[in-house]
Amino acid sequence: GAVVSQHPSRVICKSGTSVKIECRSLDFQATTMFWYRQFPKKSLMLMATSNEGSKATYEQGVEKDKFLINHASLTLSTLTVTSAHPEDSSFYICSARDQSQGHYGYTFGSGTRLTVV
Amino acid sequence: DAKTTQPPSMDCAEGRAANLPCNHSTISGNEYVYWYRQIHSQGPQYIIHGLKNNETNEMASLIITEDRKSSTLILPHATLRDTAVYYCIVRAHSGSNTGNQFYFGTGTSLTVIP
């Protein structure tokens, strides 16, 4: 089945630095990927839609200059949290659509836990 | 925005059927009902989806009411590994990149008790 890999699974960074999270579709091509954020004991919140070869579409209230998304190839999307602060600490999850599986082909990565100290 | 309502938590005895309800009274005619689950600190896992007919796969059954305003996910023989948060999501299918997003509600935290 479709597999989405996220890296790193866990990262700790200092306040003010930037962190890059990778999302890869391992055995399929994904023209669209999605990035979510999840705070403890809360639901997943969609942050943005990552479109291969074009600009990402951000949800209302999500700062595009703070959460930079690059989808340079059909198998890789990256989320960079710039100038991270402790309030950015969260669980970040990506999702990709395997179009060969039809309309239910949404596979989620295993997530990246970011801690900003 | 999430268009579903689910109870925040449920318990189920191991080996018994777990019936998880979902209310989606404002569902549109072209919107499907999807179910995902999330085990602690992992990404969501697809379970099942349907439009108006009842569906069954190796994981679960999905019962959708005739008016499509609610549905029930059934795990026929719950195991301890089924302890997770279960999300019911309604979503239309779109051929474009927009409109394909999944918006998660608060879900139901299912605890399977030994």
Side-chain angles (χ1 to χ4, degrees), chain A residues 32 36 38 43 59 103-104 106, chain B residues 34 49 93 97 100 102 105:
Chain A
T32 306
Y36 292 83
Q38 185 175 33
S43 185
E59 294 296 303
H103 51 252
Y104 54 86
Y106 280 79
Chain B
Y34 282 78
H49 78 286
H93 293 164
N97 284 333
N100 282 313
F102 276 110

Side-chain angles (χ1 to χ4, degrees), chain B residues 52-64:
Chain B
K52 55 183 179 181
N53 297 323
N54 298 336
E55 302 289 340
T56 295
N57 63 20
E58 64 277 5
M59 290 182 68
S61 294
L62 173 60
I63 308 298
I64 303 174

Side-chain angles (χ1 to χ4, degrees), chain B residues 5-11 20-21 84-86 106-111:
Chain B
T5 304
Q6 299 176 252
S9 63
M10 291 181 64
D11 292 339
L20 293 92
V85 178
Y86 287 76
T106 54
T108 295
S109 179
L110 174 69
T111 301

